[in-house]
mmCIF file of all heavy atoms in Angstrom:
data_model
loop_
_atom_site.group_PDB
_atom_site.id
_atom_site.type_symbol
_atom_site.label_atom_id
_atom_site.label_comp_id
_atom_site.label_asym_id
_atom_site.label_seq_id
_atom_site.Cartn_x
_atom_site.Cartn_y
_atom_site.Cartn_z
ATOM 1 N N PRO V 724 70.240 79.639 100.142
ATOM 2 C CA PRO V 724 70.189 80.254 98.815
ATOM 3 C C PRO V 724 71.537 80.879 98.454
ATOM 4 O O PRO V 724 72.307 81.273 99.342
ATOM 5 C CB PRO V 724 69.089 81.302 98.948
ATOM 6 C CG PRO V 724 69.082 81.655 100.401
ATOM 7 C CD PRO V 724 69.446 80.400 101.148
ATOM 8 N N GLU V 725 71.803 80.979 97.185
ATOM 9 C CA GLU V 725 73.059 81.555 96.704
ATOM 10 C C GLU V 725 72.766 82.503 95.555
ATOM 11 O O GLU V 725 71.786 82.321 94.809
ATOM 12 C CB GLU V 725 74.006 80.444 96.219
ATOM 13 C CG GLU V 725 74.410 79.459 97.289
ATOM 14 C CD GLU V 725 75.255 78.328 96.746
ATOM 15 O OE1 GLU V 725 75.403 78.269 95.507
ATOM 16 O OE2 GLU V 725 75.740 77.506 97.527
ATOM 17 N N LEU V 726 73.646 83.511 95.432
ATOM 18 C CA LEU V 726 73.494 84.443 94.325
ATOM 19 C C LEU V 726 73.763 83.726 93.006
ATOM 20 O O LEU V 726 74.694 82.942 92.891
ATOM 21 C CB LEU V 726 74.468 85.624 94.467
ATOM 22 C CG LEU V 726 74.213 86.593 95.625
ATOM 23 C CD1 LEU V 726 75.243 87.705 95.588
ATOM 24 C CD2 LEU V 726 72.820 87.186 95.559
ATOM 25 N N ALA V 727 72.914 84.023 92.032
ATOM 26 C CA ALA V 727 73.113 83.448 90.707
ATOM 27 C C ALA V 727 74.127 84.282 89.946
ATOM 28 O O ALA V 727 74.332 85.462 90.214
ATOM 29 C CB ALA V 727 71.786 83.416 89.939
ATOM 30 N N THR V 728 74.836 83.665 89.048
ATOM 31 C CA THR V 728 75.809 84.385 88.214
ATOM 32 C C THR V 728 75.058 85.282 87.233
ATOM 33 O O THR V 728 73.919 84.993 86.870
ATOM 34 C CB THR V 728 76.691 83.390 87.447
ATOM 35 O OG1 THR V 728 75.836 82.553 86.687
ATOM 36 C CG2 THR V 728 77.541 82.572 88.400
ATOM 37 N N PRO V 729 75.705 86.415 86.777
ATOM 38 C CA PRO V 729 77.069 86.855 87.114
ATOM 39 C C PRO V 729 77.102 87.638 88.432
ATOM 40 O O PRO V 729 76.102 88.210 88.840
ATOM 41 C CB PRO V 729 77.432 87.745 85.923
ATOM 42 C CG PRO V 729 76.126 88.322 85.496
ATOM 43 C CD PRO V 729 75.101 87.272 85.756
ATOM 44 N N PHE V 730 78.301 87.677 89.059
ATOM 45 C CA PHE V 730 78.513 88.417 90.304
ATOM 46 C C PHE V 730 79.178 89.764 90.048
ATOM 47 O O PHE V 730 79.716 90.360 90.958
ATOM 48 C CB PHE V 730 79.393 87.615 91.274
ATOM 49 C CG PHE V 730 78.789 86.292 91.648
ATOM 50 C CD1 PHE V 730 79.402 85.108 91.323
ATOM 51 C CD2 PHE V 730 77.584 86.238 92.340
ATOM 52 C CE1 PHE V 730 78.845 83.882 91.677
ATOM 53 C CE2 PHE V 730 77.023 85.021 92.690
ATOM 54 C CZ PHE V 730 77.648 83.845 92.350
ATOM 55 N N GLU V 731 79.185 90.232 88.819
ATOM 56 C CA GLU V 731 79.864 91.473 88.473
ATOM 57 C C GLU V 731 78.899 92.422 87.788
ATOM 58 O O GLU V 731 77.959 91.993 87.122
ATOM 59 C CB GLU V 731 81.059 91.204 87.554
ATOM 60 C CG GLU V 731 82.163 90.393 88.224
ATOM 61 C CD GLU V 731 83.386 90.243 87.333
ATOM 62 O OE1 GLU V 731 83.314 90.754 86.200
ATOM 63 O OE2 GLU V 731 84.371 89.649 87.767
ATOM 64 N N ALA V 732 79.158 93.749 87.983
ATOM 65 C CA ALA V 732 78.378 94.797 87.345
ATOM 66 C C ALA V 732 79.303 95.958 87.023
ATOM 67 O O ALA V 732 80.436 96.046 87.531
ATOM 68 C CB ALA V 732 77.232 95.251 88.249
ATOM 69 N N SER V 733 78.861 96.871 86.178
ATOM 70 C CA SER V 733 79.658 98.024 85.761
ATOM 71 C C SER V 733 78.802 99.272 85.827
ATOM 72 O O SER V 733 77.588 99.227 85.561
ATOM 73 C CB SER V 733 80.190 97.825 84.329
ATOM 74 O OG SER V 733 80.990 96.667 84.260
ATOM 75 N N ILE V 734 79.454 100.411 86.193
ATOM 76 C CA ILE V 734 78.775 101.710 86.193
ATOM 77 C C ILE V 734 79.686 102.715 85.521
ATOM 78 O O ILE V 734 80.907 102.532 85.427
ATOM 79 C CB ILE V 734 78.434 102.178 87.626
ATOM 80 C CG1 ILE V 734 79.723 102.318 88.462
ATOM 81 C CG2 ILE V 734 77.454 101.239 88.301
ATOM 82 C CD1 ILE V 734 79.490 102.967 89.805
ATOM 83 N N CYS V 735 79.106 103.792 85.037
ATOM 84 C CA CYS V 735 79.880 104.875 84.432
ATOM 85 C C CYS V 735 80.311 105.848 85.519
ATOM 86 O O CYS V 735 79.692 105.973 86.585
ATOM 87 C CB CYS V 735 79.044 105.591 83.381
ATOM 88 S SG CYS V 735 78.612 104.538 81.984
ATOM 89 N N GLU V 736 81.383 106.552 85.231
ATOM 90 C CA GLU V 736 81.902 107.511 86.217
ATOM 91 C C GLU V 736 80.895 108.625 86.506
ATOM 92 O O GLU V 736 80.850 109.132 87.629
ATOM 93 C CB GLU V 736 83.202 108.117 85.684
ATOM 94 C CG GLU V 736 84.367 107.121 85.680
ATOM 95 C CD GLU V 736 85.648 107.763 85.231
ATOM 96 O OE1 GLU V 736 85.703 108.148 84.051
ATOM 97 O OE2 GLU V 736 86.569 107.875 86.040
ATOM 98 N N ASP V 737 80.128 108.977 85.514
ATOM 99 C CA ASP V 737 79.173 110.071 85.714
ATOM 100 C C ASP V 737 77.786 109.535 86.031
ATOM 101 O O ASP V 737 76.777 110.102 85.622
ATOM 102 C CB ASP V 737 79.118 110.953 84.471
ATOM 103 C CG ASP V 737 78.814 110.143 83.212
ATOM 104 O OD1 ASP V 737 78.778 108.888 83.315
ATOM 105 O OD2 ASP V 737 78.620 110.750 82.140
ATOM 106 N N ALA V 738 77.681 108.386 86.743
ATOM 107 C CA ALA V 738 76.392 107.809 87.112
ATOM 108 C C ALA V 738 75.639 108.761 88.034
ATOM 109 O O ALA V 738 76.234 109.451 88.870
ATOM 110 C CB ALA V 738 76.598 106.456 87.794
ATOM 111 N N LYS V 739 74.327 108.747 87.896
ATOM 112 C CA LYS V 739 73.448 109.607 88.692
ATOM 113 C C LYS V 739 72.943 108.840 89.908
ATOM 114 O O LYS V 739 72.868 107.625 89.915
ATOM 115 C CB LYS V 739 72.273 110.071 87.832
ATOM 116 C CG LYS V 739 72.676 110.838 86.581
ATOM 117 C CD LYS V 739 73.386 112.127 86.953
ATOM 118 C CE LYS V 739 73.640 112.965 85.702
ATOM 119 N NZ LYS V 739 74.617 112.343 84.811
ATOM 120 N N PRO V 740 72.538 109.539 90.952
ATOM 121 C CA PRO V 740 71.988 108.869 92.149
ATOM 122 C C PRO V 740 70.678 108.133 91.812
ATOM 123 O O PRO V 740 69.875 108.613 91.015
ATOM 124 C CB PRO V 740 71.753 110.032 93.119
ATOM 125 C CG PRO V 740 72.628 111.129 92.639
ATOM 126 C CD PRO V 740 72.711 110.996 91.172
ATOM 127 N N GLY V 741 70.490 106.960 92.402
ATOM 128 C CA GLY V 741 69.281 106.172 92.177
ATOM 129 C C GLY V 741 69.286 105.359 90.904
ATOM 130 O O GLY V 741 68.294 104.710 90.569
#
Side-chain angles (χ1 to χ4, degrees):
E725 298 176 353
L726 292 181
T728 57
F730 300 117
E731 295 185 358
S733 301
I734 60 171
C735 296
E736 289 183 294
D737 55 353
K739 301 297 187 292

